[in-house]
């Protein structure tokens, strides 16, 4: 073979080997998953102020039902649609959640397999096609103006050995990420999104309490029996029970617990009053007229009018006076759901109707505060814990020092 032929043969062989090597060798490619690392989850959510609503959906494994909770901005006010658009005190909490979502990055890819989603607890709580209640995550949806979705993510279990990290998945995708999650304090509890302190009263300012223990006959709308327990503060944590034969000292522990329960009286739930009743309650004195429909609505909650228009409640009332001249009338109505009494006594609630009044010593600031409280209380029947009611509406025998 001549040199030129040998050279050509070698060249052909080298080219063949090069082609073969290119064919069988692994190719270096850029995986979409790798390219996403370090990228934000939500490119349109850049400012917490863009959030106009937040929806949090968890899953109740006992009932096999999703538990949605939503707050939204209605004409500049945050409200809770599922609770009759009750005012939410959650603007700061929502801003913190939005900021946490903005800070979420796709730190790593945990899995591309649908079978791993249950283990990572990133199954969609809204997916009705899934056969099991296990492995559901918390779905968080943030919408902006005109219901434009700014963020939608399912946050799952904590990553093993990395407490600051959680598994996360975007709905509709099989890819499960590892993401650093900080400040994402989400909740579906109504109480976590409102100002629960009902009276917002200063403990030191409470100087008199009048307990009226009575029951009402709904048919006659009259009091069957009444025990009046007047309490007066003589010094810090020193109270007496007043009576026709003089005063008697109170049991310190029981009395302090009563005052504590008043100061910490918390909202368990709400029900709206008819709009006409709300208008009546905020009308000028002497101009209010209660309609028959309002009277019927009151009766369903355990509130009545006695002879002479005296307001009555099925479970008695407590008047709380404060040193600035403001007082509260707390009237306790029916149990919210008497059928639940035997099954879940700890969750039992009772309707509460709150009124506000003033005495002659009230100054301008107190008068303004009273007006603000009337506006706050007028639209709502409140639901409070039955346990709290029992510790507030005490009898004389329970309060007098033995």
């Amino acid at each position: 073979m001549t040199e030129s032929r040998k050279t050509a043969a070698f060249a052909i062989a080298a080219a063949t080997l090069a082609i073969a090597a290119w064919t069988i060798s692994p190719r270096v490619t850029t995986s979409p998953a790798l390219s996403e690392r370090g990228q934000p989850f939500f490119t349109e959510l850049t400012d917490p102020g863009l959030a106009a609503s937040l929806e949090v959906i968890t899953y109740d494994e006992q009932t096999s039902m999703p538990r949605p909770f939503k707050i939204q901005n209605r004409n500049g006010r945050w409200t809770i649609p599922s609770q009759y658009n009750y005012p939410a005190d959650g603007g700061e909490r929502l801003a913190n959640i939005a900021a946490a979502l903005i800070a979420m990055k796709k730190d790593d890819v945990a899995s591309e397999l649908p079978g791993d989603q249950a283990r990572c607890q990133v199954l969609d709580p809204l997916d009705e096609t899934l056969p099991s209640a296990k492995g559901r995550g918390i779905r968080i949806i943030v919408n902006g103006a005109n219901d434009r979705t700014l963020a939608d993510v399912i946050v799952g279990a904590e990553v093993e050995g990395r407490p600051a990290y959680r598994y996360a998945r975007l709905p509709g995708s099989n890819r499960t990420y590892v993401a650093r999650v900080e400040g994402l304090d989400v909740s579906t509890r109504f109480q976590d999104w409102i100002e629960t302190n009902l009276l917002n009263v200063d403990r030191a300012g409470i100087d008199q309490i009048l307990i009226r223990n009575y029951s009402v006959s709904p048919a006659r709308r009259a009091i069957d029996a009444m025990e009046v327990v007047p309490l007066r503060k003589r010094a810090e944590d020193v109270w007496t029970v007043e009576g026709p034969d003089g005063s008697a000292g109170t049991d310190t522990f029981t009395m302090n617990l009563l005052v504590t329960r008043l100061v910490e009286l918390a909202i368990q739930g709400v029900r709206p009053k008819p709009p006409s009743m709300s208008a009546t309650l905020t009308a000028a004195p002497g101009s209010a007229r209660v309609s028959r429909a309002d009277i019927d609505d009151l009766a369903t909650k355990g509130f009545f009018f006695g002879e002479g228009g005296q307001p009555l409640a099925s479970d008695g009332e407590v008047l709380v006076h404060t040193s600035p001249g403001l007082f509260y009338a707390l009237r306790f109505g029916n149990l919210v759901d008497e059928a639940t009494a035997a099954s879940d006594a700890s969750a039992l609630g009772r309707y509460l109707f709150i009124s506000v009044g003033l005495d002659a010593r009230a100054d301008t600031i107190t008068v303004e505060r009273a007006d603000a409280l009337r506006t706050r209380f007028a639209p709502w029947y409140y639901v409070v814990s039955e346990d709290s009611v029992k510790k507030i509406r005490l009898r004389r025998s329970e309060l007098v020092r033995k």
Side-chain angles (χ1 to χ4, degrees), residues 11-77:
I12 293 171
T16 303
L17 289 171
I19 293 171
W22 183 86
T23 304
I24 63 175
S25 63
R27 298 172 185 167
V28 178
T29 60
T30 302
S31 166
L34 290 174
S35 66
E36 284 188 320
R37 286 178 178 170
Q39 296 299 310
F41 272 83
F42 313 109
T43 56
E44 294 193 52
L45 182 60
T46 56
D47 182 348
L50 295 174
S53 71
L54 167 74
E55 190 168 7
V56 180
I57 305 102
T58 59
Y59 196 81
D60 188 334
E61 292 186 2
Q62 292 185 333
T63 62
S64 296
M65 294 287 292
R67 296 179 59 183
F69 184 87
K70 183 177 183 178
I71 70 166
Q72 65 180 24
N73 195 310
R74 292 170 58 90
N75 301 320
R77 295 175 65 244

Coordinates of all heavy atoms in Angstrom, one line a residue, residues 11-77:
A11 N -7.2 8.2 7.8 CA -8.1 9.3 7.9 C -9.5 8.9 8.0 O -10.3 9.3 8.8 CB -7.9 10.3 6.8
I12 N -9.8 7.9 7.1 CA -11.2 7.4 7.1 C -11.5 6.6 8.5 O -12.6 6.8 9.1 CB -11.4 6.4 5.9 CG1 -11.3 7.2 4.6 CG2 -12.7 5.7 6.1 CD1 -11.3 6.3 3.4
A13 N -10.5 5.9 8.9 CA -10.7 5.1 10.2 C -10.9 6.1 11.3 O -11.7 5.9 12.2 CB -9.5 4.2 10.4
A14 N -10.1 7.1 11.3 CA -10.2 8.1 12.4 C -11.5 8.8 12.4 O -12.1 9.1 13.5 CB -9.0 9.1 12.3
A15 N -12.0 9.1 11.2 CA -13.3 9.8 11.1 C -14.4 8.9 11.6 O -15.3 9.3 12.3 CB -13.5 10.2 9.7
T16 N -14.3 7.6 11.2 CA -15.3 6.6 11.7 C -15.3 6.5 13.2 O -16.4 6.4 13.8 CB -15.0 5.2 11.0 OG1 -15.0 5.4 9.6 CG2 -16.1 4.2 11.4
L17 N -14.1 6.4 13.8 CA -14.0 6.3 15.3 C -14.6 7.5 15.9 O -15.2 7.5 17.0 CB -12.6 6.1 15.7 CG -12.0 4.7 15.3 CD1 -10.5 4.7 15.6 CD2 -12.7 3.6 16.1
A18 N -14.3 8.7 15.4 CA -14.8 9.9 15.9 C -16.3 10.0 15.9 O -17.0 10.4 16.9 CB -14.2 11.1 15.2
I19 N -16.9 9.5 14.8 CA -18.4 9.5 14.7 C -19.0 8.5 15.7 O -19.9 8.8 16.4 CB -18.8 9.1 13.2 CG1 -18.4 10.2 12.3 CG2 -20.3 8.9 13.2 CD1 -18.6 9.9 10.8
A20 N -18.3 7.4 15.8 CA -18.8 6.4 16.8 C -18.7 6.9 18.2 O -19.6 6.7 19.0 CB -18.0 5.1 16.6
A21 N -17.6 7.5 18.5 CA -17.4 8.0 19.8 C -18.5 9.1 20.1 O -19.0 9.1 21.2 CB -16.0 8.6 20.0
W22 N -18.7 9.9 19.2 CA -19.8 11.0 19.4 C -21.1 10.4 19.6 O -21.9 10.9 20.4 CB -19.8 11.9 18.2 CG -20.7 13.1 18.3 CD1 -20.5 14.3 18.9 CD2 -22.1 13.1 17.9 NE1 -21.6 15.1 18.9 CE2 -22.6 14.4 18.2 CE3 -22.9 12.2 17.2 CZ2 -23.9 14.7 17.9 CZ3 -24.2 12.5 16.9 CH2 -24.7 13.8 17.2
T23 N -21.4 9.2 18.9 CA -22.7 8.6 19.0 C -22.9 8.0 20.3 O -24.0 8.1 20.9 CB -22.8 7.5 17.9 OG1 -22.6 8.2 16.6 CG2 -24.2 6.9 17.9
I24 N -21.9 7.3 20.9 CA -22.1 6.5 22.1 C -21.8 7.3 23.4 O -22.2 6.9 24.5 CB -21.3 5.2 22.1 CG1 -19.8 5.5 22.1 CG2 -21.7 4.4 20.9 CD1 -18.9 4.3 22.2
S25 N -21.1 8.4 23.4 CA -20.7 9.1 24.6 C -21.9 9.9 25.1 O -22.8 10.4 24.4 CB -19.6 10.1 24.3 OG -20.0 11.1 23.4
P26 N -22.0 10.1 26.5 CA -23.1 10.9 27.1 C -23.0 12.4 26.7 O -21.9 12.9 26.7 CB -22.9 10.7 28.6 CG -21.4 10.4 28.8 CD -21.1 9.6 27.5
R27 N -24.1 13.0 26.4 CA -24.1 14.4 26.0 C -24.3 15.3 27.2 O -25.1 14.9 28.1 CB -25.2 14.6 25.0 CG -25.0 13.8 23.7 CD -26.1 13.9 22.8 NE -26.0 13.0 21.6 CZ -26.9 12.7 20.8 NH1 -28.1 13.2 20.9 NH2 -26.7 11.9 19.8
V28 N -23.6 16.4 27.2 CA -23.7 17.3 28.3 C -24.9 18.3 27.9 O -24.8 19.0 26.9 CB -22.4 18.1 28.5 CG1 -22.6 19.2 29.6 CG2 -21.3 17.2 28.8
T29 N -26.0 18.2 28.8 CA -27.1 19.1 28.5 C -27.4 19.9 29.8 O -27.0 19.5 30.9 CB -28.4 18.3 28.1 OG1 -28.6 17.4 29.2 CG2 -28.1 17.5 26.9
T30 N -28.2 20.9 29.6 CA -28.6 21.8 30.7 C -30.0 21.4 31.1 O -31.0 21.6 30.4 CB -28.5 23.3 30.4 OG1 -27.2 23.6 30.0 CG2 -28.9 24.1 31.6
S31 N -30.2 20.7 32.3 CA -31.5 20.3 32.7 C -32.3 21.5 33.1 O -31.8 22.4 33.8 CB -31.4 19.3 33.9 OG -32.6 19.2 34.6
P32 N -33.6 21.5 32.8 CA -34.5 22.6 33.2 C -34.5 22.7 34.7 O -34.6 23.8 35.3 CB -35.9 22.2 32.6 CG -35.6 21.3 31.5 CD -34.3 20.6 31.9
A33 N -34.5 21.6 35.4 CA -34.5 21.6 36.9 C -33.3 22.3 37.4 O -33.3 23.1 38.4 CB -34.6 20.2 37.4
L34 N -32.1 22.0 36.8 CA -30.9 22.7 37.2 C -30.9 24.2 37.0 O -30.4 25.0 37.8 CB -29.6 22.0 36.6 CG -29.3 20.6 37.0 CD1 -28.2 20.1 36.1 CD2 -28.9 20.5 38.4
S35 N -31.4 24.5 35.9 CA -31.5 26.0 35.5 C -32.4 26.8 36.4 O -32.3 28.0 36.5 CB -31.9 26.1 34.0 OG -33.2 25.7 33.9
E36 N -33.3 26.1 37.1 CA -34.3 26.8 38.0 C -33.7 27.0 39.3 O -34.3 27.8 40.1 CB -35.6 25.9 38.1 CG -36.5 26.0 36.9 CD -37.8 25.3 37.2 OE1 -37.8 24.2 37.9 OE2 -38.8 25.8 36.8
R37 N -32.7 26.3 39.7 CA -32.1 26.5 41.1 C -31.8 27.9 41.4 O -31.1 28.6 40.6 CB -30.9 25.6 41.2 CG -31.3 24.1 41.4 CD -30.1 23.2 41.5 NE -30.5 21.8 41.7 CZ -29.6 20.8 41.6 NH1 -28.3 21.0 41.4 NH2 -30.0 19.6 41.8
G38 N -32.2 28.4 42.5 CA -32.0 29.7 43.0 C -32.9 30.7 42.4 O -32.9 31.9 42.8
Q39 N -33.9 30.3 41.6 CA -34.8 31.2 41.0 C -36.0 31.4 42.0 O -36.4 30.5 42.7 CB -35.3 30.7 39.7 CG -34.3 30.6 38.6 CD -33.7 32.0 38.3 OE1 -34.4 32.9 38.0 NE2 -32.3 32.0 38.3
P40 N -36.7 32.6 41.9 CA -37.9 32.8 42.8 C -39.0 31.9 42.3 O -39.1 31.6 41.1 CB -38.2 34.3 42.6 CG -37.5 34.6 41.3 CD -36.3 33.8 41.2
F41 N -39.9 31.6 43.2 CA -41.1 30.8 42.8 C -42.1 31.7 42.0 O -42.8 31.2 41.1 CB -41.8 30.3 44.0 CG -41.3 28.9 44.5 CD1 -40.2 28.9 45.3 CD2 -41.9 27.8 44.2 CE1 -39.7 27.6 45.7 CE2 -41.5 26.5 44.6 CZ -40.4 26.5 45.4
F42 N -42.2 33.0 42.4 CA -43.2 33.8 41.8 C -42.6 35.1 41.3 O -42.2 36.0 42.1 CB -44.3 34.1 42.9 CG -44.7 32.8 43.7 CD1 -44.3 32.7 45.0 CD2 -45.4 31.9 43.0 CE1 -44.6 31.5 45.7 CE2 -45.8 30.7 43.7 CZ -45.4 30.5 45.0
T43 N -42.6 35.2 40.0 CA -42.0 36.4 39.4 C -42.9 37.6 39.4 O -42.5 38.8 39.4 CB -41.6 36.1 38.0 OG1 -42.8 35.7 37.3 CG2 -40.5 35.1 37.9
E44 N -44.2 37.4 39.6 CA -45.2 38.5 39.5 C -45.5 39.1 40.9 O -46.0 40.2 41.1 CB -46.5 38.1 38.9 CG -46.4 37.7 37.4 CD -47.7 37.6 36.7 OE1 -48.5 38.6 36.9 OE2 -48.0 36.6 36.1
L45 N -45.1 38.3 42.0 CA -45.3 38.8 43.3 C -44.0 39.5 43.8 O -43.0 38.8 44.2 CB -45.7 37.7 44.3 CG -45.9 38.1 45.7 CD1 -47.1 39.1 45.8 CD2 -46.3 36.9 46.6
T46 N -43.9 40.8 43.6 CA -42.6 41.5 43.9 C -42.8 42.5 45.1 O -41.8 43.0 45.6 CB -42.2 42.3 42.7 OG1 -43.2 43.2 42.3 CG2 -41.8 41.3 41.5
D47 N -44.0 42.7 45.5 CA -44.2 43.7 46.6 C -45.4 43.2 47.4 O -46.5 42.9 46.8 CB -44.6 45.0 46.0 CG -44.8 46.1 47.0 OD1 -44.9 45.8 48.2 OD2 -44.8 47.3 46.6
P48 N -45.3 43.0 48.7 CA -46.4 42.6 49.6 C -47.7 43.5 49.4 O -48.8 43.0 49.5 CB -45.9 42.7 51.0 CG -44.4 42.6 50.9 CD -44.1 43.2 49.5
G49 N -47.5 44.7 49.0 CA -48.6 45.6 48.8 C -49.5 45.3 47.6 O -50.6 45.8 47.5
L50 N -49.0 44.4 46.8 CA -49.8 44.0 45.6 C -50.9 43.0 46.0 O -51.8 42.8 45.2 CB -48.9 43.3 44.6 CG -47.8 44.2 43.9 CD1 -46.9 43.4 43.0 CD2 -48.5 45.3 43.1
A51 N -50.8 42.3 47.1 CA -51.7 41.3 47.5 C -53.1 41.9 47.9 O -53.2 42.8 48.7 CB -51.2 40.5 48.7
A52 N -54.1 41.4 47.2 CA -55.5 41.9 47.5 C -56.3 40.8 48.2 O -57.4 41.1 48.7 CB -56.2 42.3 46.2
S53 N -55.8 39.6 48.2 CA -56.5 38.5 48.9 C -55.5 37.4 49.1 O -54.5 37.2 48.4 CB -57.7 38.0 48.1 OG -57.3 37.2 47.0
L54 N -55.8 36.6 50.2 CA -55.0 35.4 50.5 C -56.0 34.3 50.9 O -56.9 34.5 51.6 CB -54.1 35.7 51.8 CG -53.5 34.5 52.4 CD1 -52.3 34.0 51.6 CD2 -53.0 34.8 53.8
E55 N -55.7 33.1 50.3 CA -56.5 31.9 50.6 C -55.5 30.9 51.1 O -54.5 30.6 50.4 CB -57.3 31.5 49.4 CG -58.3 30.4 49.7 CD -59.2 30.1 48.6 OE1 -59.1 30.7 47.5 OE2 -60.2 29.3 48.8
V56 N -55.8 30.3 52.2 CA -55.0 29.2 52.8 C -56.0 28.0 52.8 O -57.0 28.0 53.4 CB -54.5 29.5 54.1 CG1 -53.7 28.4 54.7 CG2 -53.7 30.8 54.1
I57 N -55.5 26.8 52.2 CA -56.3 25.6 52.3 C -55.5 24.5 52.9 O -54.4 24.2 52.4 CB -56.8 25.2 50.8 CG1 -57.5 26.3 50.1 CG2 -57.6 24.0 50.9 CD1 -56.7 27.1 49.1
T58 N -56.0 24.0 54.0 CA -55.5 22.8 54.6 C -56.4 21.6 54.4 O -57.5 21.8 53.8 CB -55.2 23.0 56.1 OG1 -56.5 23.3 56.8 CG2 -54.3 24.2 56.4
Y59 N -56.1 20.5 55.0 CA -56.9 19.3 54.7 C -57.1 18.6 56.1 O -56.2 18.4 56.9 CB -56.2 18.3 53.8 CG -57.1 17.3 53.2 CD1 -57.9 17.6 52.1 CD2 -57.2 16.0 53.8 CE1 -58.8 16.6 51.6 CE2 -58.0 15.0 53.2 CZ -58.8 15.3 52.2 OH -59.7 14.4 51.6
D60 N -58.4 18.3 56.3 CA -58.8 17.7 57.6 C -58.9 16.2 57.3 O -59.8 15.7 56.6 CB -60.2 18.2 58.0 CG -60.6 17.7 59.4 OD1 -60.1 16.6 59.8 OD2 -61.3 18.3 60.1
E61 N -57.9 15.4 57.8 CA -57.9 14.0 57.5 C -59.0 13.2 58.2 O -59.4 12.2 57.7 CB -56.5 13.4 58.0 CG -55.3 13.9 57.2 CD -54.1 13.2 57.5 OE1 -54.1 12.3 58.4 OE2 -53.0 13.5 57.0
Q62 N -59.6 13.8 59.3 CA -60.6 13.1 59.9 C -61.9 13.1 59.1 O -62.7 12.1 59.1 CB -60.9 13.7 61.3 CG -59.7 13.4 62.3 CD -60.1 13.9 63.7 OE1 -60.8 14.9 63.9 NE2 -59.5 13.3 64.7
T63 N -62.2 14.3 58.5 CA -63.4 14.4 57.7 C -63.2 14.2 56.2 O -64.1 14.1 55.4 CB -64.0 15.8 57.9 OG1 -63.1 16.8 57.4 CG2 -64.3 16.1 59.4
S64 N -61.9 14.1 55.8 CA -61.5 13.9 54.4 C -62.0 15.1 53.6 O -62.6 14.9 52.5 CB -62.0 12.6 53.9 OG -61.3 11.5 54.5
M65 N -61.9 16.3 54.2 CA -62.4 17.5 53.5 C -61.4 18.6 53.6 O -60.7 18.7 54.6 CB -63.7 18.0 54.2 CG -64.9 17.0 54.0 SD -65.5 17.0 52.3 CE -66.2 18.7 52.2
P66 N -61.3 19.4 52.5 CA -60.4 20.6 52.6 C -61.0 21.6 53.5 O -62.2 21.7 53.6 CB -60.3 21.1 51.1 CG -61.6 20.6 50.5 CD -61.9 19.3 51.2
R67 N -60.1 22.4 54.1 CA -60.5 23.5 55.0 C -60.0 24.8 54.5 O -58.8 25.2 54.7 CB -60.1 23.2 56.4 CG -60.6 22.0 57.1 CD -60.1 21.8 58.5 NE -60.4 23.0 59.3 CZ -60.0 23.1 60.6 NH1 -59.2 22.1 61.1 NH2 -60.3 24.1 61.3
P68 N -60.8 25.5 53.7 CA -60.3 26.8 53.1 C -60.5 27.9 54.0 O -61.5 28.0 54.8 CB -61.1 26.9 51.8 CG -62.4 26.2 52.1 CD -62.1 25.1 53.1
F69 N -59.6 28.9 54.0 CA -59.8 30.2 54.7 C -59.3 31.3 53.8 O -58.2 31.2 53.2 CB -59.0 30.1 56.0 CG -59.2 31.3 56.9 CD1 -60.3 31.4 57.8 CD2 -58.4 32.4 56.8 CE1 -60.5 32.5 58.5 CE2 -58.6 33.6 57.5 CZ -59.7 33.6 58.4
K70 N -60.1 32.4 53.8 CA -59.7 33.5 52.9 C -59.9 34.8 53.6 O -60.9 35.0 54.3 CB -60.5 33.4 51.6 CG -60.2 34.4 50.6 CD -61.1 34.2 49.3 CE -60.7 35.2 48.2 NZ -61.5 35.0 47.0
I71 N -59.0 35.7 53.3 CA -59.2 37.1 53.7 C -59.0 37.9 52.4 O -58.3 37.6 51.5 CB -58.3 37.6 54.8 CG1 -56.8 37.7 54.3 CG2 -58.4 36.8 56.0 CD1 -55.9 38.5 55.3
Q72 N -59.8 39.0 52.3 CA -59.7 39.8 51.1 C -59.9 41.3 51.4 O -60.5 41.6 52.5 CB -60.7 39.4 50.1 CG -62.1 39.6 50.4 CD -63.1 39.1 49.4 OE1 -62.7 38.2 48.5 NE2 -64.3 39.6 49.3
N73 N -59.4 42.1 50.6 CA -59.5 43.6 50.7 C -60.8 44.0 50.0 O -60.9 43.9 48.8 CB -58.3 44.3 50.2 CG -58.2 45.7 50.6 OD1 -59.2 46.5 50.5 ND2 -57.1 46.1 51.1
R74 N -61.7 44.6 50.8 CA -63.0 45.1 50.3 C -63.1 46.6 50.5 O -63.2 47.0 51.7 CB -64.2 44.4 50.9 CG -64.3 42.9 50.6 CD -65.4 42.2 51.4 NE -66.7 42.9 51.3 CZ -67.6 42.5 50.4 NH1 -67.3 41.5 49.5 NH2 -68.8 43.1 50.3
N75 N -62.9 47.3 49.5 CA -62.9 48.8 49.6 C -62.0 49.3 50.6 O -62.3 50.2 51.4 CB -64.4 49.2 49.9 CG -65.4 48.8 48.8 OD1 -65.1 48.8 47.6 ND2 -66.5 48.3 49.2
G76 N -60.8 48.8 50.7 CA -59.8 49.3 51.6 C -59.8 48.7 53.0 O -59.0 49.0 53.8
R77 N -60.7 47.7 53.2 CA -60.8 47.0 54.5 C -60.7 45.5 54.3 O -61.3 44.9 53.5 CB -62.2 47.3 55.2 CG -62.5 48.7 55.5 CD -63.9 49.0 56.1 NE -64.1 48.3 57.3 CZ -64.9 47.3 57.5 NH1 -65.6 46.8 56.5 NH2 -65.1 46.7 58.7

